[in-house]
Amino acid sequence: MGGSAGTAKGPLGPEVGASAFGVGLIRRRRRRWLRCAAGAVAVLVVGTGVAAWAVYAKLDGNITPDEAAAAELERYAKERPTSLVKDARNILLIGSDTRAGAGNRQYGRDSGTERSDTTILLHLSAGRRSATAVSLPRDLMVDVPSCRRPDGTRTEPMFAMFNYAFQTGGSACTIRTVEKLTGIRVDHHVVVDFRGFKKMVDAVEGVEVCLKEPIRDKDAKLRLPAGRVTLDGEQALGYVRARKSLGNGSDTDRMDRQQRFLAALVNKVRSNDVLLNPVKLYPVLDAATSSLTTDPDLASLRGLYDLVRGLRDIPTEQVRFLTVPRESYVYNANRDQLVEPEAEKLFELLRTDAPVPIEPKKRTAKGAERPASARSRGHTGYESPPPAFRGTTAAEDTCG
């Protein structure tokens, strides 16, 4: 007599057999496994999405919008210059010397005010074919308009040093002063303090510079050998701010040094796939966003992305750094004034988005860089830049 289907031996074994019940059980188990796997994948996808959103929200929330400046600029909207070239952008980069806040107090006493330690007008051409960064000396004598102080009172218009604008009226006053000086519409602005600068340098794991001579500067906390040196954030801050112990002690020399450092920083960010590697990019974005105060339109990852997405394709030889043509102020050799008509020619090129030619620097026998037509700065012994667009590009090797 043959046994029942439930006990018959078959390819599935003596316990299960070949019955529909056994096959159905296997199918149910398989479906249950697939549902579990799909659930795990869904959890992973959702978890990854939540993590990505958390990272985005953190970075997006890092940036401080400069609402006060936006309101002040809106008050004077009718008197501001208009943009002449669609898609070209002008961004004012302001380095604040504030001692307030974590990481800044070690550089001096907080007097309750802050000045523009460094100011650069960055012009991005339409189509992002080139980028031109123009340094504006803090000692340049300019017309500063009536501006709103932090306490709500207003200043009187005056002829004063350029950094007086930021000290009394913050970024809005600085923007209006630059626009009055140049006739160029400032589309965006970015303010960064000492701590933010250091964080950016550390986030890219240091920036390499070339030193012609060893540096021993107690005030700047620098003790560095000659040759190629990779500076961390603290060293980089001392390097770009030092004045008395490096070069000829002039603000001209300091701005040249800042421009060379920024060129090196641009190269470092563009190298090593920083922009394409999330592991390398996150600390850079975190440092940058947490260090910035910007106009409201830039105060988001989306705003920053829309601005810089085309920058990585600009050839390094088209990333230019220069100083506005200026010379010793006629009434005070320790102050500066624009050299005309050269300065106006430069402003016209930027306004119309025309190429800005760069005059290469020449080196002295000691290796210091100076223009061929440099002139004396009176009793100070400083050198005044020539009436030309002298500068450098991100493609130049300072050790070459």
Side-chain angles (χ1 to χ4, degrees):
M1 302 280 301
S4 68
T7 60
K9 292 184 179 181
L12 298 180
E15 298 298 327
V16 178
S19 70
F21 174 77
V23 172
L25 178 61
I26 290 177
R27 288 175 177 171
R28 285 195 298 273
R29 286 176 177 173
R30 183 176 297 166
R31 285 195 295 268
R32 188 161 56 244
W33 181 89
L34 290 174
R35 285 196 298 269
C36 289
V41 170
V43 170
L44 180 61
V45 169
V46 171
T48 302
V50 169
W53 174 252
V55 169
Y56 180 91
K58 178 184 184 302
L59 296 176
D60 195 61
N62 279 348
I63 309 170
T64 303
D66 198 346
E67 301 287 359
E72 178 71 357
L73 292 173
E74 180 62 28
R75 178 187 178 101
Y76 294 95
K78 292 183 178 181
E79 69 180 42
R80 299 183 64 194
T82 57
S83 299
L84 301 181
V85 180
K86 183 181 179 180
D87 192 41
R89 292 291 181 269
N90 297 296
I91 303 98
L92 197 65
L93 309 176
I94 304 172
S96 167
D97 72 352
T98 180
R99 269 63 171 179
N104 293 322
R105 295 187 181 90
Q106 61 181 302
Y107 301 104
R109 182 175 61 86
D110 179 16
S111 63
T113 62
E114 54 182 328
R115 292 167 296 182
S116 50
D117 198 59
T118 299
T119 304
I120 295 174
L121 180 61
L122 175 63
H123 175 78
L124 305 178
S125 70
R128 303 302 179 262
R129 302 180 308 274
S130 66
T132 305
V134 181
S135 295
L136 301 172
R138 61 183 184 177
D139 293 340
L140 188 67
M141 299 301 294
V142 297
D143 288 310
V144 179
S146 173
C147 294
R148 184 182 184 278
R149 295 189 182 96
D151 62 5
T153 62
R154 305 199 71 84
T155 65
E156 293 294 328
M158 68 171 57
F159 188 64
M161 289 192 303
F162 174 65
N163 68 350
Y164 173 80
F166 191 74
Q167 180 180 348
T168 57
S171 52
C173 190
T174 302
I175 291 168
R176 293 179 58 220
T177 300
V178 169
E179 291 183 338
K180 184 178 180 67
L181 178 72
T182 66
I184 297 171
R185 172 77 175 214
V186 174
D187 302 294
H188 302 289
H189 69 277
V190 176
V191 182
V192 60
D193 62 17
F194 293 160
R195 176 172 171 269
F197 177 83
K198 291 190 299 181
K199 286 181 63 179
M200 274 293 298
V201 175
D202 286 334
V204 297
E205 299 178 350
V207 174
E208 183 184 83
V209 297
C210 188
L211 305 179
K212 300 301 179 182
E213 298 176 351
I215 297 178
R216 301 289 185 269
D217 188 320
K218 182 178 180 181
D219 292 339
K221 302 178 182 178
L222 291 178
R223 188 179 180 86
L224 302 169
R228 295 186 184 274
V229 180
T230 298
L231 305 180
D232 62 23
E234 189 71 42
Q235 293 169 327
L237 181 62
Y239 177 74
V240 299
R241 295 192 70 240
R243 197 159 130 171
K244 296 179 181 179
S245 63
L246 298 183
N248 58 21
S250 69
D251 215 28
T252 301
D253 191 79
R254 188 173 80 138
M255 285 187 293
D256 287 347
R257 200 181 324 122
Q258 291 170 351
Q259 292 165 12
R260 291 194 299 271
F261 182 85
L262 289 176
L265 178 59
V266 168
N267 281 325
K268 183 61 181 286
V269 172
R270 291 168 63 119
S271 68
N272 300 328
D273 295 326
V274 170
L275 297 177
L276 302 176
N277 187 329
V279 175
K280 294 181 180 180
L281 183 59
Y282 175 78
V284 175
L285 289 177
D286 187 41
T289 55
S290 63
S291 307
L292 302 181
T293 298
T294 77
D295 58 279
D297 288 341
L298 274 189
S300 68
L301 282 184
R302 179 67 183 180
L304 289 175
Y305 173 75
D306 287 344
L307 178 68
V308 305
R309 61 183 172 180
L311 298 184
R312 68 184 183 190
D313 296 325
I314 299 177
T316 52
E317 61 270 15
Q318 295 301 320
V319 180
R320 311 181 185 98
F321 300 88
L322 63 148
T323 300
V324 65
R326 47 82 170 196
E327 62 188 358
S328 297
Y329 179 46
V330 64
Y331 298 113
N332 186 341
N334 292 314
R335 302 290 178 262
D336 296 304
Q337 64 185 25
L338 294 179
V339 173
E340 298 293 4
E342 285 75 13
E344 176 53 33
K345 290 179 180 177
L346 172 62
F347 301 150
E348 177 67 15
L349 292 174
L350 296 176
R351 282 194 296 266
T352 58
D353 196 31
V356 177
I358 297 295
E359 177 185 275
K361 300 172 185 177
K362 295 187 178 182
R363 299 178 185 276
T364 66
K366 294 183 179 180
E369 292 181 342
R370 69 172 63 182
S373 55
R375 291 164 286 178
S376 171
R377 293 197 63 180
H379 68 276
T380 63
Y382 293 173
E383 293 175 351
S384 180
F389 310 140
R390 69 188 190 91
T392 187
T393 72
E396 294 183 23
D397 185 349
T398 57
C399 279

